[in-house]
Amino acid sequence: MDAGTVACAPSGLGWQTINWKNVRRKVRKLQVRIVKATQDGRYGKVKALQWLLTHSFSGKALAVKRVTENDGKKTSGVDQVLWNTSVAKTKAIASLKKRGYKPLPLLRVFIPKKNRKKRPLGIPVMKDRAMQANDLLSLEPVAETTADLNSYGFRPKRSTADAGEACFKCLAGKNKAEWVLEADIKGCFDNISHDWMIAHIPTDKTVLQKWLKAGFVYQNKLFPTKAGTPQGGIISPVLANMTLDGLEKALAEAFPQIRIKRQWLKMHMVRYADDFIITGNSKEWLEEKVMPVVVNFLSERGLALSPEKTKITHITEGFDFLGWNVRKYNGKLLIKPSKANIKAHLEKVREIIKGHQAIKQINLIRLLNPVLRGWANYHCHIVAKKTFAYIDAQVWSMLWQWSTRRHPNKGARWVKDKYFKTRGTRNWVFAAEDERPGRKELKLLSESDTPIRRHIKIKADANPYDKKWEMYFEARDARKRQNSLESQNKRTVSNLSQK
């Protein structure tokens, strides 16, 4: 069955017979060509290749596949439409046409932030998500080729762990920078200039303008959008990244002596999305020289620094970045989980436990284990062993209260025997028998069993869309799988030793 037949098939059979390996291969081939044209400065060819990709069956099919299989697949926009059947997905591929396309307004919802404020989130309809995903396939290779070397947020193959390791490299050691500018952009996604994006983002300008000006619906009222790119759109993170890319170059041009006297200025920038730090040799230099360059760079894009979150800190006082506290103790740099992040984690665990007073023990373990494992895995490459032990102790205390409240007329020994088992050298293992056939006992995960392993930072100029880096990323992915397997084996050994 050829592409045209698949795209126009009247039943779900078309979707089920798509050769996804071939689809990805064709998209990948065009993306590699886009990278090469961008590197050569042939922007006319870039535009032509982007047109080929966004109008191809493979690009449209992959876009529909993404929006119907990601976390938001069950969340509808203002039209209340979902593509949850093979028939709907097949028809959706044929519907992704730019001629006469007009996006619908976004559905505005609010999600809580860590500071108890609320962040606005815009939910596009399924078709608009797919159109954005389709354009993203052609835009992301350009974004990765032109991105700042030390930008790590919302980028493929990069993570917060890479940003943390970048901080370590530019701050650890006796001769490294001692002052840090902690910068935070005020309402970054909400305030980016539409005119700047339309003028500088290398994508279909007409469609981009339609997305930016689509407006949003809140409490059944339509509101216009005069600035910003909505949080919730698939393409929004890349648009925000491309808006902020160039800050490293602006700093290098403002201080050209950095190339000769790098140890004197000690200037480095590490950015994750709209949060970034800049290191320097003195507080005065960061405040009087660097800050004006940053402010001017952002003002051209309609942005400004947040006064309450932007500050200059000495490394011995430490600063919080991406859930970690980065600080020097007697000349030694240590990165630990931040107090705020620990508090938020414990509050989340406490809410789960308190919100399920009458649940079966084994079901409570099923709810808690993913939360504990995810948090431990996030911090497993920093100095977190003592923190893991502290978390385990706090969780035990919460579970003991949970257990005793369920049986107010029973003694402590009875409660202990019912909910906490002796396994190996451990006497207080929160465990329960799985009643399902063929299943074994389920134990609460202990964060202190998570091995600490140093993260290897991605090479600054590595580009996942550039063919010359294929072997590098294959080796990196293989190492990641091996580390994951070793961590799983260590947890298995720890569990066996408790039996």
Side-chain angles (χ1 to χ4, degrees), residues 354 357 396-406:
K354 284 189 174 181
Q357 293 286 351
W396 177 89
S397 178
M398 296 177 200
L399 291 173
W400 178 250
Q401 292 181 12
W402 178 86
S403 303
T404 54
R405 284 175 181 171
R406 290 162 68 93

Side-chain angles (χ1 to χ4, degrees), residues 219-328:
Q219 294 181 343
N220 296 322
K221 293 182 180 179
L222 178 63
F223 296 87
T225 47
K226 299 180 180 179
T229 175
Q231 296 186 60
I234 288 178
I235 205 170
S236 295
V238 174
L239 294 178
N241 258 342
M242 295 190 79
T243 302
L244 298 177
D245 283 334
L247 181 55
E248 268 188 308
K249 182 179 179 181
L251 290 169
E253 290 177 349
F255 308 102
Q257 63 267 40
I258 187 175
R259 297 165 188 164
I260 303 173
K261 302 179 180 179
R262 195 171 190 85
Q263 292 302 317
W264 176 63
L265 290 178
K266 302 177 182 179
M267 183 175 71
H268 297 272
M269 189 192 83
V270 180
R271 179 169 69 84
Y272 190 92
D274 58 338
D275 293 326
F276 62 94
I277 65 162
I278 301 175
T279 65
N281 64 339
S282 70
K283 181 178 181 179
E284 293 73 19
W285 180 71
L286 287 172
E287 190 171 26
E288 298 173 7
K289 301 293 185 180
V290 174
M291 281 273 282
V293 175
V294 175
V295 169
N296 182 62
F297 176 87
L298 294 176
S299 65
E300 292 175 357
R301 292 152 174 78
L303 301 172
L305 292 174
S306 171
E308 62 269 17
K309 294 183 180 179
T310 301
K311 54 187 176 180
I312 299 173
T313 310
H314 195 269
I315 193 61
T316 56
E317 297 176 8
F319 63 93
D320 288 352
F321 187 57
L322 303 177
W324 304 313
N325 180 258
V326 184
R327 181 180 174 185
K328 269 189 177 179

Side-chain angles (χ1 to χ4, degrees), residues 47 114 131 155 189 265 342 414:
K47 187 175 181 180
K114 293 180 181 178
M131 291 289 288
R155 294 182 61 187
F189 280 83
L265 290 178
I342 295 171
W414 186 93

Side-chain angles (χ1 to χ4, degrees), residues 346 349 353 368 372 388-404 412 415-416 419-421 427-430 444-445:
L346 289 174
V349 173
I353 295 174
L368 290 174
L372 298 173
F388 288 165
Y390 170 76
I391 296 293
D392 288 342
Q394 293 297 309
V395 172
W396 177 89
S397 178
M398 296 177 200
L399 291 173
W400 178 250
Q401 292 181 12
W402 178 86
S403 303
T404 54
V415 173
K416 191 265 184 188
Y419 294 104
F420 298 88
K421 314 299 180 183
N427 297 323
W428 291 88
V429 179
F430 194 71
L444 185 75
L445 182 137

